[in-house]
Amino acid sequence: MSGFTLHELQCFDAVVSGGSFQAAGERLHRSHPSVFAAVAKLEHQLGLSLLDRSGYRVRLTEAGRAFHRKARSLLREAEELHTHARQLAMGEEAELRVVLGDLCPLAPVLELVSRFFAQCPQTRLHLQFEAVSGPWERLLEDETDLIVHRVPKGDVRMEWIDLGRVAMVPVVAPGFLPFQPTTAISPQQMQAFTQCVIRDSARHPAEQGHFLVEGAPQCSVPDQLMKKELILHGMAWGHLPRFMIESELRDGRLLSIAGRHFPGVTEELVAARRRDRPHGPVASRLWDFLARHAPVLRPALGRMPRGKGVSGG
């Protein structure tokens, strides 16, 4: 048995993933016959029949299934080696792109970022602000190197550093409601009142809006700061990050209506980057710097408060 090539393994894997030689060719940007020839050569070299070609879609034989498990592991290691080689070949980046999401506490995060980039005068920081699913979209479309936001942790394309927990608190201004707020306030009671929501900055929004009361009038804003001002001025109600409204909750300028029907939610704030992309030396040092200084939020800011004067009922 002579040695097989990485290309032959890639063709074999693409046929298994795509279900046909044509689909594999399209995925690898190669002709159908060249993929067929590579897999046939692999089978000849191994002395094994890896694929059952008798049906409409090619299928793995029993031997092919066992071989494919090992082949996938080798292909992943080869991709990691290729990525590592690209990282080693990189010089220090001229620019690093960072996106801060609408859940990002600006003061502590910008303090860390400014400290880091003061040590990297040759690298320009390109900073953007995005909302809702916009940060994920920028990251997954390779338009940024790192984001600070919440992420779907089940997405294997991303890796993250936990920076803290953010309580999203449902709040109203005093006098906004014509009745006494209680922890039992219901969506039906809130249906007549304008709810403020943040516009998703993604070009192709991937999720439904959070916390929406069906049938209620809405106003939309681009960020949490404007949302806070509208709520403070009695123009709407909505959910705000606790780190942004600590003083207002203490002095009564905002009232929490968190309770049975509006429990709020605790989001996990993270720094995230692509797991499957190479990272230059400055990006790698920034990642390590954030890991050393995490968390950036006090634990109390991840707990749901019960507002002053709000009683049960």
Side-chain angles (χ1 to χ4, degrees), residues 251-262:
D251 63 25
R253 282 179 290 157
L254 287 176
L255 302 176
S256 168
I257 58 169
R260 186 188 316 159
H261 301 290
F262 292 100

Side-chain angles (χ1 to χ4, degrees), residues 18 30 63 83 93 111 148 156 175 184 202 261 271 307 312:
R30 295 185 178 275
T83 298
E93 304 93 315
E111 192 273 332
V148 179
V156 297
H261 301 290

